[in-house]
Amino acid sequence: MYTLALVLQWIACILLIMLILMQSGKGSAAGIFGSSNSDSVFAGPTATTFITKLTAAVALVIMITSIFLTVNVSKRGMTSVVDSVQIPASAPISAPEGK
């Protein structure tokens, strides 16, 4: 289950990057899926497009898989490299003489 979620996370991340790069910015002259005229820069907000909805859905998938992976890793009882280090016993510190 962990591996499946991890693979889904990677695929969603790559897809999100591609979707963001396909969208045109507010002030750009042309996007990948068509050009926009200069009047649309000053126009009101347009209807949400399919790519925008898909971007939001993929972002939601990334959030859900991130939470799942975080909870799953914390329940695994992961060990640290520091846990295997043996700390040598130090000599006892004596009180300073003369006082």
Side-chain angles (χ1 to χ4, degrees), residues 22-91:
M22 284 194 303
Q23 295 178 14
S24 61
K26 284 185 177 180
S28 67
I32 289 179
F33 293 115
S35 61
S36 60
N37 54 14
S38 61
D39 293 336
S40 67
V41 174
F42 302 106
T46 59
T48 307
T49 62
F50 172 72
I51 293 178
T52 307
K53 290 179 183 178
L54 187 60
T55 303
V58 172
L60 183 65
V61 168
I62 289 174
M63 285 186 257
I64 291 170
T65 55
S66 295
I67 292 170
F68 174 77
L69 289 171
T70 302
V71 170
N72 196 4
V73 167
S74 68
K75 287 183 179 179
R76 278 185 166 191
M78 302 289 286
T79 59
S80 174
V81 177
V82 179
D83 294 339
S84 63
V85 174
Q86 298 292 330
I87 300 173
S90 60

